[in-house]
Amino acid sequence: MEDNVFLKIIRKEIPTKFIYEDDDILAFYDIHPIAPVHVLIIPKKPIESIASMAEEDAPLIGKMFLVAQGIARDLNISEKGYKLLIRVGRDGGQEVPHLHLHLLGGARLAEDIHPV
Ligand code: AMP
């Protein structure tokens, strides 16, 4: 996989507002938030997208959702609810070729899925 901004964040080469880290997973605030709460949860393992995940990645990706659950609780958005979003590839609007889970909340969020 070629180098990208999230691999640089994992290597701590870019200043980033981290909110969570363990051996497998990193979470940080999105630099261009589209909701009052906008956190990205990424695996440290270089997985390009859901389209290229392997069967062995299933527990790791499941753990990303548990981390999202915990962050939502910590940020007090759990009760009102939130949106979890994973973009896949060009038509899915994925910009960074490293798997990431968007945690979006802090307000009632509109649906905005339409062909461009
Ligand atoms: P996606 O469009 O699903 O690939 O999302 C990529 C996300 O990464 C976008 O929401 C960007 O704002 C975010 N992003 C890009 N560079 C950075 C960075 N250096 N720190 C935090 N978030 C970033």
Side-chain angles (χ1 to χ4, degrees), residues 5-6 28-32 40 87 93-96 100 102:
V5 64
F6 290 173
F28 50 90
Y29 286 94
D30 196 292
I31 202 166
H32 295 126
L40 298 173
R87 298 194 173 102
Q94 182 178 359
E95 284 173 8
V96 181
H100 48 286
H102 295 258

Side-chain angles (χ1 to χ4, degrees), residues 32-49:
H32 295 126
I34 59 167
V37 172
H38 190 172
V39 171
L40 298 173
I41 296 118
I42 68 171
K44 290 184 176 174
K45 179 179 175 182
I47 301 168
E48 188 169 325
S49 83

Side-chain angles (χ1 to χ4, degrees), residues 7 10 21-26 42-46 60 98:
L7 291 175
I10 290 166
E21 177 166 19
D22 66 25
D23 287 348
D24 307 311
I25 288 169
L26 205 52
I42 68 171
K44 290 184 176 174
K45 179 179 175 182
L60 173 61
H98 183 105

Side-chain angles (χ1 to χ4, degrees), residues 37-41 68 71-72 77 82-84 101-105:
V37 172
H38 190 172
V39 171
L40 298 173
I41 296 118
I71 293 171
I77 60 169
Y82 47 89
K83 188 181 287 199
L84 296 173
L101 176 62
H102 295 258
L103 167 60
L104 299 157

